Protein backbone atom coordinates (compact mmCIF):
# COMPACT_ATOMS: atom_id res chain seq x y z
CA UNK A 1 0.00 0.00 0.00
CA UNK A 2 2.75 2.46 0.89
CA UNK A 3 4.60 1.72 -2.35
CA UNK A 4 1.43 2.32 -4.37
CA UNK A 5 0.79 5.58 -2.49
CA UNK A 6 4.23 6.90 -3.42
CA UNK A 7 4.55 5.41 -6.95
CA UNK A 8 0.97 5.73 -8.26
CA UNK A 9 1.85 6.33 -11.90
CA UNK A 10 5.32 4.75 -11.97
CA UNK A 11 4.54 1.47 -13.73
CA UNK A 12 8.08 -0.04 -13.50
CA UNK A 13 8.21 0.56 -9.73
CA UNK A 14 4.73 -0.85 -9.20
CA UNK A 15 5.56 -3.84 -11.39
CA UNK A 16 8.73 -4.51 -9.39
CA UNK A 17 6.77 -4.28 -6.12
CA UNK A 18 4.06 -6.61 -7.43
CA UNK A 19 6.58 -9.14 -8.77
CA UNK A 20 8.47 -9.10 -5.45
CA UNK A 21 5.26 -9.56 -3.47
CA UNK A 22 3.92 -12.37 -5.69
CA UNK A 23 7.30 -14.10 -5.86
CA UNK A 24 7.65 -13.93 -2.09
CA UNK A 25 4.14 -15.29 -1.61
CA UNK A 26 4.73 -18.17 -4.03
CA UNK A 27 8.04 -18.96 -2.31
CA UNK A 28 6.41 -19.04 1.13
CA UNK A 29 3.53 -21.20 -0.15
CA UNK A 30 6.05 -23.59 -1.75
CA UNK A 31 8.07 -23.78 1.46
CA UNK A 32 4.91 -24.46 3.46
CA UNK A 33 3.87 -27.28 1.13
CA UNK A 34 7.38 -28.73 1.17
CA UNK A 35 7.48 -28.50 4.97
CA UNK A 36 4.16 -30.27 5.50
CA UNK A 37 4.43 -32.82 2.72
CA UNK A 38 8.08 -33.59 2.08
CA UNK A 39 9.92 -33.11 5.37
CA UNK A 40 10.04 -35.10 8.58
CA UNK A 41 10.22 -33.45 11.98
CA UNK A 42 11.39 -35.54 14.90
CA UNK A 43 9.36 -34.84 18.04
CA UNK A 44 10.39 -35.45 21.62
CA UNK A 45 8.59 -35.40 24.93
CA UNK A 46 11.65 -34.90 27.15
CA UNK A 47 10.08 -31.73 28.52
CA UNK A 48 7.45 -33.67 30.45
CA UNK A 49 6.55 -30.71 32.66
CA UNK A 50 5.63 -28.51 29.70
CA UNK A 51 2.50 -29.01 27.58
CA UNK A 52 2.76 -30.08 23.96
CA UNK A 53 5.57 -31.65 22.01
CA UNK A 54 8.90 -30.18 20.93
CA UNK A 55 10.91 -30.70 17.76
CA UNK A 56 14.42 -32.10 18.03
CA UNK A 57 15.17 -31.26 14.41
CA UNK A 58 13.80 -28.78 11.90
CA UNK A 59 14.46 -28.90 8.11
CA UNK A 60 17.01 -26.25 7.07
CA UNK A 61 14.83 -25.25 4.11
CA UNK A 62 12.60 -23.47 6.60
CA UNK A 63 15.20 -20.69 6.75
CA UNK A 64 13.42 -19.46 3.62
CA UNK A 65 10.58 -18.33 5.86
CA UNK A 66 12.94 -15.64 7.18
CA UNK A 67 15.05 -14.98 4.08
CA UNK A 68 12.10 -14.39 1.72
CA UNK A 69 10.47 -11.59 3.75
CA UNK A 70 13.88 -9.92 4.22
CA UNK A 71 14.33 -9.78 0.45
CA UNK A 72 10.76 -8.60 -0.26
CA UNK A 73 10.79 -5.95 2.48
CA UNK A 74 14.19 -4.69 1.29
CA UNK A 75 12.85 -4.24 -2.25
CA UNK A 76 9.72 -2.45 -1.02
CA UNK A 77 11.75 -0.23 1.30
CA UNK A 78 14.16 0.59 -1.54
CA UNK A 79 11.23 1.74 -3.68
CA UNK A 80 9.91 3.95 -0.86
CA UNK A 81 13.31 5.53 -0.20
CA UNK A 82 13.95 6.01 -3.92
CA UNK A 83 10.70 7.98 -4.32
CA UNK A 84 11.16 9.99 -1.13
CA UNK A 85 14.73 10.91 -2.10
CA UNK A 86 13.63 11.95 -5.59
CA UNK A 87 10.93 14.22 -4.16
CA UNK A 88 13.31 15.60 -1.53
CA UNK A 89 15.91 16.35 -4.22
CA UNK A 90 13.30 18.20 -6.30
CA UNK A 91 12.00 20.06 -3.25
CA UNK A 92 8.52 18.59 -3.68
CA UNK A 93 8.33 16.27 -0.66
CA UNK A 94 4.89 16.74 0.90
CA UNK A 95 3.94 16.09 4.51
CA UNK A 96 1.98 12.91 3.73
CA UNK A 97 4.84 11.50 1.66
CA UNK A 98 7.28 12.38 4.41
CA UNK A 99 5.14 10.51 6.94
CA UNK A 100 4.99 7.45 4.67
CA UNK A 101 8.77 7.53 4.14
CA UNK A 102 9.53 8.06 7.84
CA UNK A 103 7.16 5.37 9.07
CA UNK A 104 8.29 2.98 6.32
CA UNK A 105 11.86 3.47 7.51
CA UNK A 106 10.86 2.69 11.08
CA UNK A 107 8.86 -0.35 9.91
CA UNK A 108 11.72 -1.65 7.79
CA UNK A 109 14.36 -1.17 10.49
CA UNK A 110 12.39 -3.02 13.16
CA UNK A 111 11.08 -5.79 10.89
CA UNK A 112 14.53 -6.27 9.31
CA UNK A 113 16.15 -6.67 12.74
CA UNK A 114 13.45 -9.11 13.87
CA UNK A 115 13.63 -11.19 10.66
CA UNK A 116 17.43 -11.40 10.81
CA UNK A 117 17.19 -12.29 14.53
CA UNK A 118 14.71 -15.02 13.57
CA UNK A 119 17.20 -16.34 11.02
CA UNK A 120 20.06 -16.31 13.55
CA UNK A 121 17.93 -18.07 16.17
CA UNK A 122 16.85 -20.59 13.54
CA UNK A 123 20.46 -21.52 12.74
CA UNK A 124 22.04 -21.26 16.20
CA UNK A 125 19.36 -22.15 18.78
CA UNK A 126 18.00 -25.60 19.61
CA UNK A 127 15.20 -26.78 17.33
CA UNK A 128 12.43 -26.19 19.86
CA UNK A 129 13.36 -22.46 20.03
CA UNK A 130 13.42 -21.80 16.29
CA UNK A 131 10.03 -20.12 16.24
CA UNK A 132 10.64 -18.06 19.37
CA UNK A 133 10.52 -14.67 17.57
CA UNK A 134 7.57 -15.35 15.26
CA UNK A 135 5.02 -13.69 17.53
CA UNK A 136 7.11 -10.55 18.19
CA UNK A 137 7.71 -10.18 14.44
CA UNK A 138 4.00 -10.48 13.60
CA UNK A 139 3.07 -8.16 16.46
CA UNK A 140 5.61 -5.55 15.36
CA UNK A 141 4.17 -5.57 11.84
CA UNK A 142 0.66 -4.94 13.17
CA UNK A 143 1.77 -2.21 15.56
CA UNK A 144 3.94 -0.41 13.01
CA UNK A 145 1.23 -0.58 10.33
CA UNK A 146 -1.25 0.94 12.78
CA UNK A 147 1.36 3.53 13.74
CA UNK A 148 1.62 4.63 10.10
CA UNK A 149 -2.15 4.81 9.65
CA UNK A 150 -2.55 6.86 12.82
CA UNK A 151 0.06 9.34 11.60
CA UNK A 152 -1.75 9.65 8.27
CA UNK A 153 -5.00 10.09 10.18
CA UNK A 154 -3.49 13.10 11.96
CA UNK A 155 -3.17 14.83 8.58
CA UNK A 156 -6.95 14.66 8.17
CA UNK A 157 -7.54 16.06 11.65
CA UNK A 158 -6.53 19.66 10.97
CA UNK A 159 -9.12 21.20 13.27
CA UNK A 160 -7.54 21.82 16.68
CA UNK A 161 -10.95 21.76 18.35
CA UNK A 162 -11.90 18.37 16.86
CA UNK A 163 -12.21 16.55 20.15
CA UNK A 164 -15.93 15.84 20.10
CA UNK A 165 -17.47 12.59 18.96
CA UNK A 166 -19.28 14.21 16.02
CA UNK A 167 -16.28 15.20 13.90
CA UNK A 168 -16.31 14.79 10.13
CA UNK A 169 -13.71 15.03 7.41
CA UNK A 170 -13.24 14.77 3.68
CA UNK A 171 -10.75 12.22 2.38
CA UNK A 172 -9.73 12.31 -1.27
CA UNK A 173 -8.24 9.16 -2.75
CA UNK A 174 -6.71 9.95 -6.16
CA UNK A 175 -6.99 7.29 -8.84
CA UNK A 176 -4.89 7.29 -11.99
CA UNK A 177 -6.61 9.07 -14.93
CA UNK A 178 -9.99 9.17 -13.19
CA UNK A 179 -11.87 11.53 -10.94
CA UNK A 180 -10.93 11.07 -7.29
CA UNK A 181 -13.26 9.28 -4.96
CA UNK A 182 -14.53 11.65 -2.35
CA UNK A 183 -15.87 10.62 1.01
CA UNK A 184 -17.41 13.76 2.39
CA UNK A 185 -18.79 14.44 5.83
CA UNK A 186 -18.33 10.87 6.86
CA UNK A 187 -18.40 10.52 10.67
CA UNK A 188 -15.00 9.56 12.04
CA UNK A 189 -16.23 8.20 15.34
CA UNK A 190 -19.52 6.75 16.43
CA UNK A 191 -21.44 8.14 19.38
Amino acid sequence: MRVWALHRRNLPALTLALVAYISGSITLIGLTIQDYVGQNVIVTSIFADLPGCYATSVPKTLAGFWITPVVVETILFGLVIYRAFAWWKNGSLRQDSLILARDSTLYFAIIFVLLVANLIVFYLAPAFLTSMLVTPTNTAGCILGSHMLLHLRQLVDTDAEATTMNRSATVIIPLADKKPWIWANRPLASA
Side-chain angles (χ1 to χ4, degrees), residues 124-145:
L124 300 180
F128 67 91
L129 292 177
T130 57
S131 62
M132 179 175 65
L133 294 174
V134 171
T135 300
T137 303
N138 292 337
T139 303
C142 293
I143 291 170
L144 294 166

Side-chain angles (χ1 to χ4, degrees), residues 1-4 6-7 13-22 68-84 100-101 104-105 107-108:
M1 183 172 112
R2 63 188 188 270
V3 174
W4 174 84
L6 294 172
H7 289 277
L14 293 175
T15 302
L16 177 61
L18 186 63
V19 167
Y21 179 77
I22 291 173
T68 303
V70 166
V71 171
V72 171
E73 290 297 336
T74 302
I75 291 169
L76 296 178
F77 177 67
L79 289 169
V80 168
I81 292 303
Y82 169 76
R83 175 57 76 188
L100 281 172
S104 292
T105 302
Y107 175 88
F108 176 75

Side-chain angles (χ1 to χ4, degrees), residues 160-176:
E161 299 293 327
T163 57
T164 64
M165 297 298 274
N166 296 325
R167 327 178 264 203
S168 64
T170 300
V171 178
I172 299 175
I173 302 174
L175 300 175

